[in-house]
Amino acid sequence: MRTNLYKVSGLLLMVFFFVSCKKNFLEVVPKGKLIASSLKDYDLLMNNASFYQMTDGDLTMLMGDELAAEQSYFQNSNISNLRAFAWEDVIYNPGDVVMYVDNRLKNLYICNKIINEVNGVSDGTASQRMALQAEALATRAWINLGMVNYFGNPYKETTAAADPGFPIITEANINAKNFKRSSVKEVYESIINDLKTSIVNLPLKGAFATRMSRPAAKGLLGKVYLYMGQYQDALAQFNEAFTDLGNDPSAASLYDYNIAFAPGGDFLPFGRSGPDYPGSNYLKYKESVLLKTNSMAGINSGIVLRPETMALYTASDLRRQLYSNTHVDLTPIPGGLLRKYTQYAHLGIELSDLILMRAETRARTQDLAGAKADLKLLRINRMSAADAEVPANVSTQVDLIKFIIDERVREFAGEGQRWFDMRRLSTDPIFSTQHYKHYMYAADGVTIAKSYDLKPVRFTLRLPQAILDANPGMSDNP
């Protein structure tokens, strides 16, 4: 599967085994082959850092409209960064390896190998084998949700059956070839089936924060339904995820920024990388229901926040302390522009994301009081209690939904979430008139040197050329 879908040379998973397995196991593995014969062998596969600590430069992190760029720094970025920020049709050169796709395909191969083979091992109990298979199924669903949101149109019920998505790959077969794109609807149905199948056998708590659990899978299923606009179904899954989390006293919990930024707090002292918070220290994962991070090193130099983004924060909002008025080299950013200290984007299932997604589905299903309660649950941990209540002028359903989307910007600005929200909201009548722009600021930090408009077609990325070359006849996106 790997070498034909996406032409990448190498020894498949040999690097993986050098990291994960004992030397005496390596000594009996034929070169270029993957052999796992025990439950432990298969379980070790899910511990590789490629599943949770990614360094693959996912350029969608540059594509949210909450961001701007400071020209004197950002103009020195590589060409792919510049193209992604400008929402160009072609981001990569033909010979480039798109690492965030390559890595996910590698992990998809591993998931399929576990799904299809682990029940054939002789050791372990049946429940242990089914739990590991369930974890691989749910992880496959996470991978496929990413792939269909990179390369398939935003989900729209009236067109999803005809919109090209991404191939549904269920076999760990390196000899398979000439894959065809499944429809967006088919990919979503496959994701839902994997998650529903996995949930019944997943543990309440994963072996590590990086491993899939029942509440993480339920939260992910809720997110899938949210992307599909099936809000009642999404709300049911979010409620079940919170019930599961409540049954585990060691489950994820929110940092209270009022305490974390106080003397002796968890986020202090400030260093060159800013506060010692999850965005600069991936070991601080108490808010992670499922920990998956991606390094932003190399793609965020010169990236700042739009003044309109910073205007969304009230004076007492302690999330403002996550921003700096200097570049990484400590030179001042001109014009009062600010950058976020973020080094690690959290892309798994975060407790704050679950709270805001449930708030949105509550608002969309007319439970305005419940939505406001969820908002307060998050906001009272981010600012003074006096400002944590939803403002009184946010009174209608539409007002509240828009406020929740703005809260998502306040919570996740600069962390790679926004482009995916922009995608799904593009099919929502409430946001149908939204127009997205990027600005490049000149040396004074005030004058706009360049501006870029997002064409709706670029809510969908073009397929990497290597995939098209390896699969003759596969159609690309416009």
Side-chain angles (χ1 to χ4, degrees):
M1 181 278 292
R2 285 270 291 108
T3 53
N4 287 287
L5 176 68
Y6 194 3
K7 284 185 177 177
V8 179
S9 62
L11 301 179
L12 294 177
L13 304 176
M14 290 304 291
V15 173
F16 192 99
F17 270 82
F18 275 110
V19 173
S20 301
C21 299
K22 295 180 181 178
K23 183 177 179 182
N24 61 355
F25 182 75
L26 279 171
E27 288 173 348
V28 298
V29 177
K31 188 176 182 181
K33 301 291 184 181
L34 171 63
I35 297 177
S37 59
S38 70
L39 182 66
K40 182 179 179 181
D41 296 338
Y42 285 102
D43 186 70
L44 282 170
L45 295 176
M46 297 302 298
N47 281 341
N48 191 271
S50 65
F51 277 103
Y52 61 86
Q53 193 177 345
M54 294 162 279
T55 57
D56 53 24
D58 183 344
L59 294 187
T60 61
M61 291 190 284
L62 297 177
M63 296 172 68
D65 74 325
E66 86 279 27
L67 303 174
E70 199 271 295
Q71 188 176 39
S72 64
Y73 267 68
F74 191 63
Q75 67 185 356
N76 298 315
S77 294
N78 69 48
I79 188 63
S80 294
N81 294 4
L82 296 171
R83 290 169 178 168
F85 181 80
W87 295 313
E88 291 188 13
D89 294 334
V90 176
I91 295 177
Y92 295 97
N93 293 323
D96 291 347
V97 175
V98 183
M99 289 305 299
Y100 65 88
V101 177
D102 185 53
N103 289 345
R104 283 157 179 75
L105 290 175
K106 177 183 71 176
N107 289 339
L108 184 61
Y109 177 94
I110 297 168
C111 289
N112 285 332
K113 191 155 188 74
I114 295 171
I115 292 164
N116 296 328
E117 298 178 9
V118 72
N119 282 326
V121 302
S122 58
D123 65 329
T125 66
S127 62
Q128 288 173 327
R129 294 191 292 270
M130 288 190 294
L132 184 56
Q133 183 185 54
E135 185 176 353
L137 281 165
T139 304
R140 182 170 74 180
W142 183 84
I143 294 169
N144 284 333
L145 183 63
M147 300 304 272
V148 77
N149 276 276
Y150 293 137
F151 303 118
N153 287 343
Y155 191 94
K156 191 174 182 181
E157 186 60 39
T158 55
T159 63
D163 290 337
F166 197 79
I168 297 172
I169 304 165
T170 59
E171 299 294 326
N173 180 2
I174 64 171
N175 296 313
K177 60 179 64 178
N178 293 332
F179 287 90
K180 304 299 181 185
R181 296 178 70 178
S182 302
S183 72
V184 168
K185 187 177 184 67
E186 288 170 332
V187 178
Y188 270 83
E189 288 173 345
S190 173
I191 292 167
I192 291 169
N193 182 65
D194 279 353
L195 288 170
K196 286 184 173 180
T197 302
S198 72
I199 283 170
V200 295
N201 291 314
L202 282 169
L204 187 65
K205 187 176 182 65
F208 307 101
T210 57
R211 301 282 293 261
M212 191 68 72
S213 65
R214 193 188 314 152
K218 288 178 178 178
L220 181 59
L221 181 55
K223 187 173 187 175
V224 172
Y225 286 133
L226 176 65
Y227 279 20
M228 298 173 74
Q230 297 181 14
Y231 303 121
Q232 197 67 57
D233 290 333
L235 177 57
Q237 293 301 319
F238 295 140
N239 284 336
E240 288 192 24
F242 278 104
T243 297
D244 285 346
L245 290 171
N247 291 330
D248 177 10
S250 64
S253 58
L254 291 172
Y255 282 105
D256 185 343
Y257 284 24
N258 296 284
I259 297 172
F261 278 116
D266 281 342
F267 292 173
L268 301 181
F270 272 69
R272 185 182 180 92
S273 299
D276 188 27
Y277 85 114
S280 59
N281 183 351
Y282 63 83
L283 296 177
K284 288 185 177 290
Y285 52 78
K286 80 177 220 175
E287 293 192 353
S288 298
V289 181
L290 176 67
L291 178 64
K292 290 183 181 292
T293 65
N294 204 333
S295 172
M296 299 191 71
I299 68 170
N300 60 353
S301 179
I303 290 294
V304 295
L305 278 294
R306 290 180 61 180
E308 293 88 346
T309 301
M310 298 310 302
L312 294 174
Y313 295 97
T314 60
S316 77
D317 196 324
L318 292 167
R319 290 171 293 196
R320 293 176 62 91
Q321 296 201 42
L322 304 179
Y323 298 92
S324 173
N325 61 1
T326 65
H327 290 293
V328 175
D329 63 3
L330 303 184
T331 57
I333 302 174
L337 297 171
L338 301 174
R339 69 172 175 92
K340 200 166 190 177
Y341 283 113
T342 306
Q343 292 180 289
Y344 301 98
H346 287 245
L347 305 176
I349 304 296
E350 294 292 308
L351 185 56
S352 57
D353 194 19
L354 277 181
I355 291 170
L356 289 174
M357 287 191 294
R358 186 171 72 168
E360 183 179 342
T361 53
R362 281 177 160 174
R364 290 184 182 277
T365 56
Q366 298 292 340
D367 180 9
L368 305 192
K372 290 180 180 180
D374 276 339
L375 282 165
K376 184 176 181 181
L377 174 64
L378 176 66
R379 287 166 60 83
I380 204 167
N381 286 284
R382 301 299 195 244
M383 62 192 68
S384 70
D387 288 337
E389 296 280 357
V390 175
N393 62 351
V394 180
S395 56
T396 68
Q397 181 193 33
V398 171
D399 289 342
L400 186 55
I401 291 170
K402 289 182 176 180
F403 185 87
I404 292 166
I405 298 303
D406 283 347
E407 193 68 36
R408 292 187 62 82
V409 175
R410 286 185 282 267
E411 182 69 12
F412 302 119
E415 297 183 15
Q417 296 262 16
R418 176 61 178 167
W419 185 70
F420 293 96
D421 282 339
M422 289 159 56
R423 274 178 49 87
R424 67 181 178 88
L425 295 173
S426 68
T427 66
D428 184 345
I430 294 175
F431 297 91
S432 61
T433 60
Q434 186 80 39
H435 182 67
Y436 299 103
K437 297 181 74 71
H438 265 166
Y439 297 101
M440 184 92 73
Y441 285 94
D444 60 6
V446 177
T447 304
I448 295 173
K450 297 180 181 179
S451 64
Y452 309 93
D453 295 275
L454 174 64
K455 298 177 293 185
V457 70
R458 284 286 68 84
F459 282 129
T460 306
L461 304 181
R462 287 185 171 175
L463 290 165
Q465 188 61 45
I467 289 181
L468 298 173
D469 290 344
N471 296 274
M474 182 179 285
S475 61
D476 197 3
N477 296 317

